[in-house]
Amino acid sequence: MRLPRFQTWITTLVDANLPTGVKRIEWADSGINNDRGMGEHCTGLVFEAPDGGTVYWQTVVGGGPKGDTFDRPEEIVEGDPPAPVAPVELTMTDGKLRMSDLEAWLTALVINAQSRELASVERFTTRPAKSNMGFSHQFGYTLKWHDGSSTTSFLRYTLAPGERRSESTEWRIKEAV
């Protein structure tokens, strides 16, 4: 699934299930596209916790279908979706979002949407060995699609109330904000 269509799909899914008190801010409206190394080809989800902490959940597409040059219409391939899982409630403790809970909630939403395009989901916190994945993000997921493409989402910033994005806060992931 190509990134623009994925972003529309995941945003609609999140908005329909967002818990009271948590806000979703449009990636582009958050100002992050003006940051070093970011731009129009980067996207994700920005969540604001009830206490004002902010989470930047970035999404990238890796490994498109073999031979896909992105200069022609996307070919949608369907198959069996992953088996449904128990729904996960995104709860806050003292107005804070826990990153492990956010990861579990997002992956459960994605799996339980039962998209026939989705082949598998791998949560970073439950993968067998982090070292063999080629990256070291602690929280996130990789979605594999039946067309052969993959989508990976991970945390870029976790900011306490009043904290701003900067080189010193990038990739410094907190357990809760």
Side-chain angles (χ1 to χ4, degrees), residues 131-145:
S131 61
N132 68 7
M133 298 302 292
F135 49 81
S136 61
H137 297 293
Q138 182 179 0
F139 302 102
Y141 56 77
T142 296
L143 310 178
K144 301 222 181 204
W145 305 95

Side-chain angles (χ1 to χ4, degrees), residues 39-160:
E40 64 181 307
H41 300 292
C42 295
T43 192
L45 299 166
V46 180
F47 297 97
E48 186 177 295
D51 78 345
T54 310
V55 176
Y56 289 77
W57 191 272
Q58 185 173 344
T59 301
V60 296
V61 171
K66 188 173 183 169
D68 190 354
T69 60
F70 300 100
D71 61 351
R72 58 181 178 255
E74 180 179 18
E75 182 180 334
I76 296 172
V77 178
E78 294 184 337
D80 291 331
V85 297
V88 173
E89 186 175 334
L90 182 57
T91 58
M92 272 83 32
T93 304
D94 299 324
K96 297 182 182 293
L97 285 170
R98 287 176 14 108
M99 298 310 105
S100 59
D101 294 344
L102 182 58
E103 180 198 66
W105 177 73
L106 282 168
T107 55
L109 284 180
V110 166
I111 292 167
N112 291 337
Q114 291 293 282
S115 170
R116 295 196 46 79
E117 292 180 68
L118 185 61
S120 66
V121 176
E122 180 182 43
R123 284 180 55 190
F124 289 3
T125 57
T126 60
R127 64 184 176 211
K130 294 179 185 179
S131 61
N132 68 7
M133 298 302 292
F135 49 81
S136 61
H137 297 293
Q138 182 179 0
F139 302 102
Y141 56 77
T142 296
L143 310 178
K144 301 222 181 204
W145 305 95
H146 285 291
D147 69 0
S149 66
S150 63
T151 304
T152 301
S153 294
F154 48 85
L155 292 166
R156 188 172 191 112
Y157 295 97
T158 53
L159 305 174

Side-chain angles (χ1 to χ4, degrees), residues 12-25:
T12 301
L13 190 59
V14 164
D15 286 352
N17 293 281
L18 205 58
T20 302
V22 177
K23 295 179 190 168
R24 186 191 59 79
I25 302 165

